[in-house]
Amino acid sequence: MKNEKHWRIAAWAIWLLPAALVVAIVVTAPLSRSVTEIYHGAVTHWWSLQPVYSGSVGFNYLPLFLPAFGLFAWLPLELGEILWRWAALAGLGVGLWRCTGPITTTSTGRYPLFVLVSLLSLPIGLSAIRNGQSSAQLAACLVLAAACLQQRRWSAATVWLCLALVCKPLAIPAIGLAVMAFPRLWWRALLGVLVVLLAPYLLAPSAYVHALYAAFATNLMDCFHPPDRTFADVNGVLMAFNVQLAGAPSLIVRVASGVAMALAIWFTARLAGDFRRVLLWLGFSTSYIMLFTPMNEANSYVMLAPALGLWAGWFLDRGETRMVHTFVLLSVSILLLADVIGLVLGKGVRNEFDKFWSPLMTFVFLAILVAQIRQMAAEAGQALRRSRALTAAPAIGTRPDQP
């Protein structure tokens, strides 16, 4: 009991210390190193029915983000900035806590497991939370959706997935893969996406919303082809070999990768009844977002970090220490290796290395997920053979009735 109390204190400290740090940073300089200044400007334009899209370096979200963030922008500046960041912290913390419940099956205890998952998930995302980037809110929504999917709370999961879409359009792949993994979501997800797309028409003149969507479509194309910039995605790995995907080849790779992941998710939906089904969905979704959606930077890996942490927790609970060490190395290297290299070789090398290393570790993670699917298929095959053997057992040694 005493050890459990210590673990509980450690768990609270891991999440409360960043919350306190957020307050200190925001009170000192509310908009310093913050992307929320872009959000505030866009919301101001929304309120005055002015254009909000100005290219890939500006506002890149669906129109419903504007009234959603407007709830925070309406508050006094410091309070709104603090609550915006606290929303991400609270969502991640609650979501990870709820996800550790289905993972915990041994005497390891839930609090030690939650501490490990938190230590592998939160540090990678601290920069995004500090900067007010909506990637952190998207990550929180996906983790909360994962907890609801495990509990078969389909409507609640749909709400979180749609809120993720409001946070960033990058959530579309996660919604599609969720439908493949959990077919009962399909009509709820369709309805939810329609609500997200149509809700702005209830809040602003239709002509203005029409113009916003037209500008959003143009802006989205700009995001896929930003001038003179590279990001921490699949091209970040390929650039190390003087290769870059662009145009039609890039589109083909993105679509093919999405189809392959969708088929893998569909296949595992028939193999796994435990939490691995949810973990595979979360892992494939965040990996696809990191590698194949536009304009991901080092801070964007806040979206991948919870999947790494939860998989480490899964393996820890089952005593697979080698896999736990693997995920610790993945997380720590994404968090620190580029900074160490930067101290030795300079900031420029650090930034370029980060664009290469983080997506490379995501490919390693994908390889682990594929290995898990193969293991699940082998387990299912063994279970089927045992079932057939038990069914046939009574017939062994018996003689047919004689006339």
Side-chain angles (χ1 to χ4, degrees), residues 342-389:
L343 291 174
V344 178
L345 300 177
K347 184 178 179 180
V349 176
R350 177 233 180 268
N351 292 339
E352 293 305 313
F353 179 82
D354 213 0
K355 296 174 185 177
F356 163 78
W357 187 256
S358 295
L360 180 63
M361 292 302 96
T362 306
F363 276 117
V364 173
F365 179 40
L366 276 176
I368 294 173
L369 297 182
V370 172
Q372 281 297 303
I373 292 175
R374 294 183 62 183
Q375 179 179 332
M376 291 163 60
E379 292 172 356
Q382 291 173 1
L384 180 61
R385 286 191 292 272
R386 284 195 299 268
S387 176
R388 289 175 176 173

Side-chain angles (χ1 to χ4, degrees), residues 96-398:
L96 290 174
W97 171 255
R98 291 175 60 188
C99 285
T100 54
I103 291 176
T104 308
T105 60
T106 66
S107 59
T108 302
R110 188 171 182 179
Y111 276 103
L113 205 64
F114 179 65
V115 167
L116 171 71
V117 171
S118 298
L119 287 175
L120 296 184
S121 302
L122 182 58
I124 293 175
L126 284 177
S127 293
I129 294 170
R130 181 251 181 272
N131 295 345
Q133 292 173 254
S134 64
S135 298
Q137 278 77 8
L138 188 153
C141 289
L142 292 181
V143 175
L144 288 163
C148 294
L149 289 172
Q150 174 60 19
Q151 297 168 353
R152 300 180 182 275
R153 297 171 56 202
W154 309 123
S155 296
T158 302
V159 170
W160 289 117
L161 289 171
C162 291
L163 285 174
L165 181 61
V166 174
C167 292
K168 274 198 168 187
L170 304 184
I172 279 291
I175 295 174
L177 291 177
V179 171
M180 296 298 293
F182 304 93
R184 291 188 180 183
L185 281 179
W186 77 267
W187 67 266
R188 295 175 176 88
L190 177 61
L191 180 61
V193 170
L194 288 175
V195 169
V196 169
L197 296 177
L198 297 177
Y201 287 97
L202 302 176
L203 304 171
S206 59
Y208 175 64
V209 178
H210 283 328
L212 284 183
Y213 274 116
F216 170 77
T218 301
N219 204 74
L220 187 62
M221 294 301 101
D222 292 340
C223 290
F224 274 99
H225 306 289
D228 303 323
R229 292 185 68 186
T230 56
F231 295 93
D233 55 16
V234 62
N235 273 325
V237 177
L238 295 178
M239 288 289 284
F241 306 97
N242 294 319
V243 177
Q244 184 177 12
L245 285 174
S250 175
L251 178 62
I252 292 171
V253 169
R254 294 174 199 269
V255 172
S257 299
V259 170
M261 291 186 189
L263 290 175
I265 284 288
W266 178 83
F267 180 65
T268 56
R270 285 143 183 81
L271 294 177
D274 54 25
F275 196 58
R276 276 184 299 181
R277 182 178 175 185
V278 176
L279 289 179
L280 285 167
W281 164 74
L282 186 62
F284 277 120
S285 296
T286 53
S287 295
Y288 186 91
I289 291 172
M290 292 297 95
L291 294 173
F292 301 110
T293 60
M295 299 185 66
N296 286 312
E297 302 173 324
N299 289 351
S300 303
Y301 281 76
V302 62
M303 293 180 276
L304 182 72
L308 299 177
L310 288 169
W311 271 106
W314 171 271
F315 287 118
L316 177 67
D317 187 73
R318 281 143 188 85
E320 299 185 39
T321 55
R322 182 178 297 180
M323 292 304 301
V324 175
H325 294 159
T326 299
F327 276 95
V328 169
L329 286 174
L330 285 175
S331 299
V332 171
S333 69
I334 290 174
L335 176 66
L336 296 177
L337 187 56
D339 290 327
V340 172
I341 288 177
L343 291 174
V344 178
L345 300 177
K347 184 178 179 180
V349 176
R350 177 233 180 268
N351 292 339
E352 293 305 313
F353 179 82
D354 213 0
K355 296 174 185 177
F356 163 78
W357 187 256
S358 295
L360 180 63
M361 292 302 96
T362 306
F363 276 117
V364 173
F365 179 40
L366 276 176
I368 294 173
L369 297 182
V370 172
Q372 281 297 303
I373 292 175
R374 294 183 62 183
Q375 179 179 332
M376 291 163 60
E379 292 172 356
Q382 291 173 1
L384 180 61
R385 286 191 292 272
R386 284 195 299 268
S387 176
R388 289 175 176 173
L390 290 173
T391 302
I396 298 177
T398 60

Side-chain angles (χ1 to χ4, degrees), residues 36-46 48 51-52 59 66 69:
T36 55
E37 190 169 2
I38 295 174
Y39 305 162
H40 282 283
V43 168
T44 300
H45 286 187
W46 159 267
S48 58
V52 299
F59 182 79
L66 296 162
F69 185 80

